[in-house]
Amino acid sequence: MQTQQNENGQLQRTMKTRHLIMLSLGGVIGTGLFFNTGYIISTTGAAGTLLAYAIGALVVWLVMQCLGELSVAMPETGAFHVYATRYLGPATGYTVAWLYWLTWTVALGSSFTAAGFCMQYWFPQVPVWAWCVVFCAAIFFLNVISTRFFAEGEFWFSLVKVITIIAFIILGGAAIFGFIPMQDGSPAPGLSNITAEGWFPHGGLPILMTMVAVNFAFSGTELIGIAAGETENPRKVIPVAIRTTIARLIIFFIGTVFVLAALIPMQQAGVEKSPFVLVFEKVGIPYAADIVNFVILTAILSAANSGLYASGRMLWSLSNEKTLPRCFARVNKNGVPLTALSVSMLGGVLALFSSVIAPDTVFVALSAISGFAVVAVWISICASHFVFRRRHLQSGQPLAALHYRAPWYPLVPVLGFVLCLVACIGLAFDPTQRIALYCGLPFVALCYGAYYLTQNVKTQEPEHVAE
């Protein structure tokens, strides 16, 4: 049942299971893991970072259970805002769509900045903004050819990242326990760095403060829902993709964070240089830092690739729902929404600002804004699932009619909602990330206002007949 009605603005169902899994992994394994982990270690300490990521993994599992039930029952491109529109109200759906668009356009900016940092490892004389321009053009090209080309490219990009992270965990673990000597001749650290500053050197508050940064690192798993409308046999593919993605993410993230926390003292962690490169410089494997830097560059550009895909599809979906001009819903002969992608790429301009003004502070702030937006979207997913299941039961339909069911209803959506809300509250306690609330909350208010304003204009136009 291939959809080929391009002239009607329809997308094509061309993605397979392996594409969906690697698309989700590609969106997740990027800037957050490779750069923000250093910031979180420096803020919360090693043990605090491990705890923060463990909580983040729980939140991801809760949200993905909710999304799995929704997306199997209703596989649609732009899934989150469609579900929010149906079960939370059209204004909320409209706001969710723009929040998710903001998530990925801001993430595009921070990804391009991070890629520029990677290139400066080899070319310190070339400014970061110059690399941003080059990478903007490259990612745009990958997205505009065709959806199948994008998905195939993302599969191989993500495979490189997955293999590298597995090797990193194995080699880093060997260095921790002395199987590989340290470059400076120092003894194997063992678990000393994890406990050197105490379990929680700054108390429990920094863990709460960094939860949004942790959630930002996990953001991208929800791409499975975005791509559901372009997936072959979503009833079969989506549950497999969700189960395998969550299992791999927990192993990759917790394993990676453990290695980083054990090998990098708290005082040396930060965002100027990727903690991955720091680790391999310490271990002293020949050319390993260059290899890892290249893989990190590939990973970050892969995440940007997924981000442009997601933000472009969200604009397409808004237009398809008739809340944006029809031009955003037009697709070319290859099924690509060119106008929506072009507008979304404007988020790359944020990279130029962050690299010119203050990369070590603005970079963290951009991540916080993006993290706030994605957590707000996760809140809407949990709330939509809660209402969806309740209406399903109230209608008298059996649970067996749902081909994918989130366990332990209503605990799963309620706990997911509460933990995401707590993460947003934590932003208020961190001066470096408080800008996320200063920008995020007014943006939410602006979206609601814009929706009601445009709806009032529509109702006053005689040619529009209410259904």
Side-chain angles (χ1 to χ4, degrees):
M1 297 189 297
Q2 296 268 341
T3 306
Q4 301 291 349
Q5 303 168 346
N6 296 333
E7 65 276 8
N8 294 327
Q10 297 299 310
L11 303 175
Q12 302 177 5
R13 291 191 182 275
T14 56
M15 290 197 196
K16 302 181 184 297
T17 306
R18 63 186 180 90
H19 294 143
L20 202 60
I21 292 171
M22 286 303 188
L23 172 63
S24 182
L25 289 176
V28 177
I29 302 173
T31 312
L33 178 61
F34 288 124
F35 277 85
N36 280 14
T37 305
Y39 159 75
I40 296 169
I41 291 174
S42 68
T43 304
T44 67
T49 301
L50 286 168
L51 178 59
Y53 271 94
I55 297 172
L58 172 62
V59 173
V60 167
W61 184 83
L62 295 168
V63 173
M64 292 302 291
Q65 293 304 312
C66 297
L67 180 60
E69 183 171 314
L70 289 167
S71 56
V72 169
M74 298 166 287
E76 300 190 39
T77 299
F80 322 128
H81 90 92
V82 176
Y83 305 148
T85 297
R86 290 180 185 174
Y87 300 107
L88 304 178
T92 301
Y94 180 84
T95 302
V96 164
W98 280 113
L99 275 172
Y100 198 66
W101 182 84
L102 177 71
T103 295
W104 280 112
T105 50
V106 170
L108 275 173
S110 57
S111 292
F112 291 139
T113 303
F117 286 156
C118 286
M119 294 305 295
Q120 282 202 320
Y121 182 79
W122 295 303
F123 307 102
Q125 71 280 8
V126 180
V128 172
W129 69 262
W131 293 115
C132 292
V133 173
V134 172
F135 294 138
C136 279
I139 294 302
F140 187 73
F141 174 76
L142 282 174
N143 270 264
V144 299
I145 297 176
S146 72
T147 300
R148 184 62 180 268
F149 182 85
F150 156 81
E152 198 65 39
E154 192 60 34
F155 172 82
W156 293 106
F157 275 144
S158 299
L159 188 61
V160 170
K161 292 188 285 190
V162 168
I163 292 171
T164 303
I165 287 178
I166 292 172
F168 175 84
I169 292 173
I170 294 172
L171 292 173
I176 291 170
F177 298 106
F179 297 106
I180 296 178
M182 303 295 284
Q183 170 79 353
D184 58 3
S186 61
L191 303 181
S192 60
N193 284 329
I194 293 181
T195 58
E197 303 291 331
W199 287 105
F200 306 107
H202 299 143
L205 185 60
I207 299 174
L208 173 64
M209 289 161 44
T210 56
M211 279 312 302
V212 165
V214 170
N215 288 329
F216 170 71
F218 277 112
S219 66
T221 49
E222 71 287 335
L223 281 169
I224 289 174
I226 288 285
E230 295 177 82
T231 302
E232 294 178 353
N233 194 5
R235 182 180 298 179
K236 176 183 177 183
V237 168
I238 292 173
V240 174
I242 286 177
R243 283 193 293 267
T244 54
T245 298
I246 291 176
R248 292 174 188 180
L249 282 179
I250 291 174
I251 294 170
F252 293 161
F253 271 73
I254 301 300
T256 299
V257 170
F258 174 78
V259 170
L260 292 175
L263 289 177
I264 301 178
M266 181 178 171
Q267 298 85 351
Q268 294 182 22
V271 297
E272 283 291 353
K273 181 184 287 188
S274 168
F276 277 66
V277 176
L278 277 177
V279 164
F280 276 89
E281 286 177 343
K282 283 177 173 293
V283 173
I285 298 174
Y287 305 108
D290 292 277
I291 295 170
V292 170
N293 200 56
F294 172 76
V295 174
I296 291 173
L297 176 64
T298 305
I300 290 168
L301 293 178
S302 169
N305 197 29
S306 299
L308 182 58
Y309 167 85
S311 54
R313 292 314 187 272
M314 195 56 74
L315 290 187
W316 176 91
S317 184
L318 276 170
S319 182
N320 196 49
E321 296 286 317
K322 298 181 174 58
T323 51
L324 273 185
R326 290 182 60 186
C327 62
F328 289 99
R330 293 198 192 104
V331 299
N332 62 19
K333 59 185 176 62
N334 294 323
V336 174
L338 190 57
T339 303
L341 287 174
S342 300
V343 172
S344 296
M345 180 49 84
L346 292 176
V349 174
L350 291 169
L352 305 182
F353 285 116
S354 65
S355 62
V356 171
I357 299 173
D360 56 338
T361 54
V362 175
F363 177 79
V364 174
L366 286 177
S367 298
I369 295 169
S370 191
F372 167 81
V374 80
V375 173
V377 170
W378 288 1
I379 287 174
S380 78
I381 291 171
C382 294
S384 297
H385 172 253
F386 179 85
V387 178
F388 166 76
R389 175 73 76 89
R390 189 173 62 177
R391 289 187 186 175
H392 180 84
L393 295 174
Q394 288 173 347
S395 67
Q397 299 181 65
L399 280 178
L402 298 173
H403 296 281
Y404 185 93
R405 295 188 295 277
W408 307 315
Y409 178 88
L411 176 62
V412 164
V414 170
L415 184 58
F417 183 96
V418 170
L419 288 177
C420 288
L421 191 61
V422 168
C424 288
I425 294 172
L427 289 173
F429 296 94
D430 187 353
T432 62
Q433 296 188 92
R434 206 171 289 156
I435 187 174
L437 294 178
Y438 295 153
C439 297
L441 293 177
F443 186 81
V444 169
L446 179 66
C447 288
Y448 272 97
Y451 175 80
Y452 287 115
L453 180 64
T454 54
Q455 287 304 110
N456 288 335
V457 170
K458 283 183 179 180
T459 56
Q460 293 171 10
E461 295 178 359
E463 63 270 22
H464 288 275
V465 179
E467 294 181 357

